[in-house]
Coordinates of all heavy atoms in Angstrom, one line a residue:
P231 N -15.4 53.3 48.1 CA -16.0 53.1 49.4 C -15.0 52.9 50.5 O -13.9 52.4 50.3 CB -16.8 51.8 49.2 CG -16.1 51.0 48.2 CD -15.5 52.1 47.2
K232 N -15.3 53.4 51.7 CA -14.5 53.2 52.9 C -14.7 51.8 53.4 O -15.8 51.3 53.6 CB -14.8 54.2 54.0 CG -14.2 55.5 53.7 CD -13.1 55.8 54.7 CE -12.4 57.1 54.5 NZ -11.3 57.1 53.6
V233 N -13.6 51.0 53.6 CA -13.8 49.7 54.2 C -13.1 49.7 55.5 O -12.2 50.5 55.7 CB -13.2 48.5 53.3 CG1 -14.0 48.4 52.0 CG2 -11.7 48.8 53.0
S234 N -13.6 48.8 56.4 CA -13.0 48.8 57.7 C -11.6 48.1 57.7 O -11.4 47.2 57.0 CB -13.9 48.0 58.6 OG -13.3 47.7 59.8
L235 N -10.7 48.7 58.4 CA -9.4 48.0 58.6 C -9.4 47.2 59.9 O -8.4 46.5 60.2 CB -8.3 49.0 58.6 CG -8.0 49.7 57.3 CD1 -6.9 50.7 57.4 CD2 -7.5 48.6 56.2
E236 N -10.5 47.3 60.6 CA -10.6 46.6 61.9 C -10.4 45.1 61.8 O -11.0 44.4 60.9 CB -12.0 46.8 62.4 CG -12.4 46.1 63.7 CD -12.3 47.0 64.9 OE1 -12.5 48.2 64.7 OE2 -12.1 46.4 66.0
G237 N -9.4 44.5 62.5 CA -9.2 43.1 62.5 C -8.3 42.7 61.4 O -8.0 41.5 61.3
F238 N -7.9 43.6 60.6 CA -6.9 43.3 59.5 C -5.5 43.6 59.9 O -5.3 44.6 60.4 CB -7.3 44.0 58.2 CG -6.3 43.8 57.1 CD1 -6.4 42.6 56.4 CD2 -5.3 44.7 56.8 CE1 -5.4 42.3 55.4 CE2 -4.3 44.4 55.9 CZ -4.4 43.3 55.1
A239 N -4.6 42.7 59.5 CA -3.2 43.0 59.6 C -2.5 42.2 58.5 O -3.1 41.3 58.0 CB -2.7 42.6 61.0
S240 N -1.3 42.7 58.1 CA -0.5 41.9 57.1 C 0.9 42.1 57.5 O 1.3 43.1 58.0 CB -0.8 42.5 55.7 OG 0.2 41.9 54.8
L241 N 1.7 41.0 57.2 CA 3.1 41.2 57.4 C 3.8 41.9 56.3 O 5.0 42.3 56.4 CB 3.8 39.8 57.7 CG 3.3 39.1 58.9 CD1 3.8 37.6 58.9 CD2 3.7 39.8 60.1
A242 N 3.1 42.1 55.2 CA 3.7 42.9 54.1 C 3.4 44.4 54.2 O 2.4 44.7 54.9 CB 3.1 42.3 52.8
V243 N 4.2 45.1 53.6 CA 4.0 46.6 53.6 C 3.1 47.0 52.5 O 3.3 46.6 51.3 CB 5.4 47.4 53.4 CG1 5.1 48.9 53.4 CG2 6.4 47.0 54.5
P244 N 2.0 47.6 52.7 CA 1.0 48.0 51.6 C 1.7 48.9 50.6 O 2.6 49.7 51.0 CB -0.1 48.7 52.3 CG 0.1 48.5 53.8 CD 1.5 48.2 54.0
T245 N 1.3 48.8 49.4 CA 1.8 49.7 48.4 C 0.9 50.9 48.2 O -0.2 50.8 47.7 CB 2.0 49.0 47.0 OG1 2.8 47.8 47.2 CG2 2.6 49.8 45.9
Y246 N 1.3 52.0 48.8 CA 0.5 53.2 48.7 C 0.9 54.0 47.5 O 2.0 54.6 47.6 CB 0.6 54.0 50.0 CG -0.1 53.4 51.2 CD1 0.7 52.8 52.2 CD2 -1.5 53.5 51.4 CE1 0.1 52.2 53.3 CE2 -2.1 53.0 52.5 CZ -1.3 52.3 53.4 OH -1.9 51.8 54.5
R247 N 0.1 54.2 46.5 CA 0.4 55.0 45.4 C -0.3 56.3 45.5 O -1.5 56.3 45.9 CB -0.1 54.3 44.1 CG 0.5 53.0 43.8 CD 0.1 52.6 42.4 NE 0.5 51.2 42.2 CZ -0.4 50.1 42.3 NH1 -1.6 50.4 42.7 NH2 0.1 48.9 42.1
A248 N 0.4 57.4 45.2 CA -0.3 58.7 45.2 C 0.5 59.7 44.4 O 1.7 59.7 44.5 CB -0.5 59.2 46.6
S249 N -0.2 60.5 43.7 CA 0.4 61.8 43.3 C -0.2 62.9 44.2 O 0.4 63.4 45.1 CB 0.2 62.2 41.8 OG -1.2 62.0 41.5
T250 N -1.5 63.1 44.0 CA -2.3 64.0 45.0 C -2.4 63.3 46.3 O -2.7 62.2 46.5 CB -3.7 64.2 44.4 OG1 -3.6 64.8 43.1 CG2 -4.5 65.1 45.3
I251 N -2.2 64.2 47.3 CA -2.6 63.8 48.7 C -3.6 64.7 49.2 O -3.4 65.9 49.4 CB -1.3 63.8 49.6 CG1 -0.3 62.6 49.1 CG2 -1.7 63.6 51.1 CD1 1.1 62.7 49.7
P252 N -4.9 64.2 49.3 CA -6.0 65.1 49.7 C -5.9 65.4 51.2 O -5.4 64.6 52.0 CB -7.2 64.3 49.4 CG -6.8 62.9 49.3 CD -5.3 62.9 49.0
F253 N -6.2 66.6 51.5 CA -6.1 67.1 53.0 C -7.5 67.1 53.6 O -8.5 67.4 52.9 CB -5.5 68.5 53.0 CG -4.0 68.4 52.6 CD1 -3.7 68.5 51.3 CD2 -3.0 68.2 53.5 CE1 -2.4 68.3 50.9 CE2 -1.7 68.1 53.2 CZ -1.4 68.2 51.9
P254 N -7.6 66.8 54.9 CA -8.9 66.7 55.6 C -9.7 68.0 55.6 O -10.9 68.0 55.6 CB -8.6 66.2 56.9 CG -7.1 66.4 57.2 CD -6.5 66.4 55.8
D255 N -9.0 69.1 55.7 CA -9.6 70.4 55.7 C -8.7 71.5 55.2 O -7.6 71.2 54.9 CB -10.2 70.7 57.1 CG -9.1 70.6 58.1 OD1 -7.9 71.1 57.8 OD2 -9.3 70.0 59.2
S256 N -9.2 72.7 55.0 CA -8.4 73.8 54.4 C -7.3 74.2 55.3 O -6.2 74.5 54.8 CB -9.3 75.0 54.1 OG -10.0 75.4 55.3
A257 N -7.4 74.1 56.6 CA -6.3 74.4 57.5 C -5.1 73.5 57.4 O -4.0 73.9 57.3 CB -6.8 74.4 59.0
A258 N -5.4 72.2 57.2 CA -4.4 71.2 57.0 C -3.7 71.5 55.7 O -2.4 71.4 55.6 CB -5.0 69.8 57.0
Y259 N -4.4 71.9 54.6 CA -3.8 72.2 53.4 C -2.9 73.4 53.5 O -1.7 73.4 53.0 CB -4.8 72.4 52.3 CG -4.2 72.7 50.9 CD1 -3.7 71.7 50.2 CD2 -4.1 74.0 50.4 CE1 -3.1 71.9 49.0 CE2 -3.6 74.3 49.2 CZ -3.0 73.2 48.5 OH -2.4 73.5 47.3
A260 N -3.4 74.4 54.2 CA -2.6 75.7 54.3 C -1.3 75.4 55.1 O -0.3 76.0 54.8 CB -3.4 76.7 55.0
G261 N -1.3 74.5 56.1 CA -0.1 74.2 56.9 C 0.7 73.0 56.4 O 1.5 72.5 57.2
R262 N 0.5 72.6 55.2 CA 1.0 71.3 54.7 C 2.6 71.3 54.7 O 3.1 70.3 54.9 CB 0.5 71.0 53.4 CG 1.0 71.8 52.2 CD 0.1 71.6 51.0 NE 0.6 72.4 49.8 CZ 0.3 73.7 49.7 NH1 -0.4 74.4 50.6 NH2 0.8 74.3 48.6
L263 N 3.2 72.5 54.6 CA 4.7 72.5 54.5 C 5.3 72.7 55.8 O 6.5 72.7 55.9 CB 5.1 73.6 53.5 CG 4.7 73.4 52.0 CD1 5.1 74.5 51.2 CD2 5.2 72.1 51.5
D264 N 4.5 72.9 56.8 CA 5.1 73.2 58.2 C 5.0 72.0 59.1 O 5.0 72.2 60.3 CB 4.4 74.4 58.8 CG 4.3 75.6 57.8 OD1 5.3 75.8 57.1 OD2 3.2 76.2 57.8
R265 N 4.7 70.8 58.6 CA 4.4 69.7 59.5 C 5.6 68.7 59.6 O 5.4 67.6 60.2 CB 3.2 69.0 59.0 CG 1.9 69.9 59.1 CD 0.7 69.2 58.6 NE 0.9 68.8 57.2 CZ 0.5 67.6 56.7 NH1 -0.1 66.8 57.5 NH2 0.8 67.3 55.5
G266 N 6.8 69.2 59.2 CA 7.9 68.3 59.5 C 8.2 67.2 58.5 O 7.3 67.0 57.6
D267 N 9.3 66.5 58.7 CA 9.7 65.5 57.7 C 8.8 64.3 57.6 O 8.9 63.7 56.5 CB 11.1 65.0 58.1 CG 12.2 66.1 57.9 OD1 12.0 66.9 57.0 OD2 13.2 66.0 58.6
D268 N 8.0 64.0 58.5 CA 7.2 62.8 58.5 C 5.8 63.1 57.8 O 5.0 62.2 57.7 CB 7.0 62.2 59.8 CG 8.3 61.5 60.3 OD1 9.1 61.1 59.4 OD2 8.5 61.5 61.5
S269 N 5.6 64.3 57.5 CA 4.2 64.6 56.9 C 4.2 64.2 55.4 O 5.2 64.0 54.8 CB 3.9 66.1 57.1 OG 4.8 66.8 56.3
Y270 N 3.0 64.2 54.9 CA 2.8 63.9 53.5 C 2.2 65.1 52.8 O 1.3 65.7 53.2 CB 1.8 62.7 53.3 CG 2.4 61.4 54.0 CD1 1.9 61.0 55.2 CD2 3.4 60.8 53.4 CE1 2.5 59.9 55.8 CE2 4.0 59.6 54.0 CZ 3.5 59.2 55.2 OH 4.1 58.1 55.8
V271 N 2.9 65.4 51.6 CA 2.5 66.7 50.9 C 2.1 66.4 49.5 O 1.1 66.9 49.0 CB 3.7 67.6 50.9 CG1 3.4 68.9 50.1 CG2 4.1 68.0 52.4
Y272 N 3.0 65.5 48.9 CA 2.8 65.2 47.5 C 3.4 63.9 47.2 O 4.5 63.6 47.8 CB 3.4 66.4 46.6 CG 3.3 66.2 45.1 CD1 2.1 66.0 44.6 CD2 4.4 66.4 44.3 CE1 2.0 65.8 43.2 CE2 4.3 66.4 43.0 CZ 3.1 66.0 42.4 OH 3.0 65.9 41.0
G273 N 2.9 63.1 46.3 CA 3.4 61.7 46.2 C 4.8 61.6 45.9 O 5.5 60.7 46.3
L274 N 5.3 62.7 45.1 CA 6.8 62.6 44.7 C 7.7 62.7 46.0 O 8.8 62.1 46.0 CB 7.1 63.8 43.9 CG 8.5 64.0 43.3 CD1 8.8 62.8 42.4 CD2 8.6 65.3 42.6
Y275 N 7.2 63.3 47.0 CA 8.0 63.4 48.3 C 7.8 62.4 49.3 O 8.3 62.4 50.4 CB 7.7 64.8 48.9 CG 7.8 66.0 47.9 CD1 6.9 67.0 48.0 CD2 8.7 66.0 46.9 CE1 6.9 68.1 47.1 CE2 8.8 67.1 46.0 CZ 7.9 68.1 46.1 OH 7.9 69.2 45.3
G276 N 7.1 61.4 48.9 CA 6.9 60.2 49.8 C 5.5 59.8 50.1 O 4.6 60.6 50.2
T277 N 5.3 58.5 50.2 CA 4.0 57.9 50.7 C 4.5 56.9 51.8 O 5.7 56.7 52.0 CB 3.4 57.1 49.6 OG1 4.1 55.8 49.4 CG2 3.3 57.8 48.2
P278 N 3.5 56.3 52.5 CA 3.9 55.5 53.6 C 4.8 54.3 53.2 O 5.6 53.8 53.9 CB 2.5 54.9 54.2 CG 1.6 56.1 53.9 CD 2.1 56.6 52.5
T279 N 4.7 53.9 51.9 CA 5.5 52.8 51.4 C 7.0 53.2 51.3 O 7.9 52.5 51.7 CB 5.0 52.3 50.0 OG1 3.6 52.1 50.1 CG2 5.7 51.1 49.6
T280 N 7.2 54.4 50.7 CA 8.5 54.9 50.5 C 9.2 55.2 51.8 O 10.3 54.9 52.1 CB 8.6 56.1 49.5 OG1 7.9 57.2 50.1 CG2 8.0 55.8 48.2
R281 N 8.4 55.8 52.8 CA 8.9 56.2 54.1 C 9.3 54.9 54.9 O 10.3 54.9 55.6 CB 7.8 56.9 54.9 CG 7.5 58.2 54.3 CD 8.5 59.3 54.6 NE 8.3 60.5 53.8 CZ 7.3 61.4 54.0 NH1 6.5 61.3 55.0 NH2 7.2 62.4 53.2
T282 N 8.6 53.8 54.7 CA 8.9 52.6 55.4 C 10.3 52.1 54.9 O 11.1 51.8 55.8 CB 7.9 51.4 55.1 OG1 6.6 52.0 55.5 CG2 8.2 50.2 55.9
L283 N 10.5 52.1 53.6 CA 11.8 51.6 53.1 C 12.9 52.6 53.6 O 14.0 52.1 54.0 CB 11.8 51.5 51.6 CG 13.1 51.1 51.0 CD1 13.6 49.8 51.5 CD2 12.9 51.0 49.4
E284 N 12.6 53.9 53.6 CA 13.7 54.9 54.0 C 14.0 54.6 55.5 O 15.2 54.6 55.9 CB 13.1 56.3 53.9 CG 13.1 56.9 52.5 CD 12.4 58.2 52.4 OE1 11.9 58.7 53.5 OE2 12.4 58.8 51.3
K285 N 13.1 54.4 56.3 CA 13.3 54.2 57.7 C 14.0 52.9 58.0 O 14.9 52.8 58.9 CB 12.0 54.3 58.6 CG 11.5 55.7 58.8 CD 10.5 55.7 59.9 CE 9.8 57.0 60.0 NZ 10.7 58.2 60.1
Q286 N 13.7 51.9 57.2 CA 14.3 50.6 57.4 C 15.8 50.6 57.0 O 16.6 50.1 57.7 CB 13.6 49.5 56.6 CG 13.7 48.1 57.1 CD 12.7 47.2 56.5 OE1 11.7 47.6 55.8 NE2 12.8 45.9 56.8
L287 N 16.0 51.3 55.9 CA 17.4 51.5 55.5 C 18.2 52.4 56.4 O 19.4 52.1 56.7 CB 17.5 52.0 54.0 CG 17.0 51.1 53.0 CD1 16.9 51.8 51.6 CD2 17.9 49.8 52.8
A288 N 17.6 53.4 56.9 CA 18.3 54.3 57.9 C 18.7 53.5 59.1 O 19.8 53.7 59.6 CB 17.4 55.5 58.2
A289 N 17.8 52.6 59.5 CA 18.1 51.8 60.7 C 19.3 50.9 60.4 O 20.3 50.8 61.3 CB 16.9 51.0 61.2
L290 N 19.4 50.3 59.3 CA 20.5 49.4 59.0 C 21.8 50.2 58.8 O 22.9 49.7 59.1 CB 20.2 48.7 57.6 CG 19.2 47.5 57.7 CD1 18.7 47.1 56.3 CD2 19.8 46.3 58.5
E291 N 21.7 51.4 58.3 CA 22.9 52.3 58.0 C 23.3 53.0 59.3 O 24.3 53.7 59.3 CB 22.6 53.3 56.9 CG 22.2 52.8 55.6 CD 23.4 52.7 54.7 OE1 24.6 52.8 55.1 OE2 23.2 52.6 53.4
R292 N 22.5 52.9 60.4 CA 22.7 53.7 61.6 C 22.7 55.2 61.2 O 23.5 56.0 61.7 CB 24.1 53.3 62.3 CG 24.2 51.9 62.5 CD 23.3 51.3 63.6 NE 23.6 49.9 63.9 CZ 23.0 48.9 63.4 NH1 22.0 48.9 62.6 NH2 23.4 47.6 63.8
A293 N 21.8 55.5 60.4 CA 21.7 56.9 59.9 C 20.5 57.6 60.5 O 19.5 57.0 61.0 CB 21.5 56.9 58.4
E294 N 20.5 59.0 60.4 CA 19.4 59.8 60.9 C 18.3 59.8 59.8 O 17.2 59.7 60.1 CB 20.0 61.2 61.1 CG 19.2 62.0 62.0 CD 18.9 61.4 63.4 OE1 19.9 60.9 64.0 OE2 17.7 61.4 63.8
R295 N 18.8 60.0 58.5 CA 17.9 60.1 57.4 C 18.4 59.3 56.2 O 19.6 59.2 56.0 CB 17.7 61.6 56.9 CG 16.9 62.4 57.8 CD 15.4 62.1 58.0 NE 14.7 62.0 56.7 CZ 14.2 63.1 56.1 NH1 14.2 64.3 56.6 NH2 13.5 62.9 54.9
C296 N 17.4 58.8 55.5 CA 17.8 58.1 54.2 C 16.9 58.5 53.2 O 15.7 58.8 53.4 CB 17.6 56.5 54.4 SG 17.9 55.6 53.0
F297 N 17.4 58.8 52.0 CA 16.6 59.3 50.8 C 16.7 58.2 49.7 O 17.7 57.6 49.5 CB 17.2 60.6 50.3 CG 17.1 61.7 51.4 CD1 18.3 61.9 52.2 CD2 16.0 62.4 51.6 CE1 18.2 62.9 53.2 CE2 16.0 63.4 52.5 CZ 17.1 63.7 53.4
L298 N 15.6 58.1 49.0 CA 15.5 57.1 47.9 C 15.5 57.8 46.6 O 14.9 58.8 46.4 CB 14.2 56.3 48.0 CG 14.1 55.5 49.3 CD1 12.7 54.9 49.4 CD2 15.2 54.4 49.4

Side-chain angles (χ1 to χ4, degrees):
K232 280 254 178 267
V233 297
S234 167
L235 289 177
E236 172 103 24
F238 174 78
S240 168
L241 295 173
V243 180
T245 304
Y246 289 103
R247 301 189 189 96
S249 52
T250 299
I251 291 166
F253 292 84
D255 52 42
S256 55
Y259 181 76
R262 69 194 182 284
L263 295 177
D264 312 319
R265 294 177 303 140
D267 286 333
D268 286 332
S269 67
Y270 298 105
V271 176
Y272 182 46
L274 183 63
Y275 309 141
T277 76
T279 311
T280 62
R281 296 279 166 81
T282 304
L283 179 57
E284 284 174 355
K285 282 198 190 305
Q286 203 163 354
L287 291 171
L290 284 167
E291 298 263 18
R292 310 290 189 261
E294 202 55 49
R295 285 296 302 274
C296 177
F297 300 93
L298 300 173

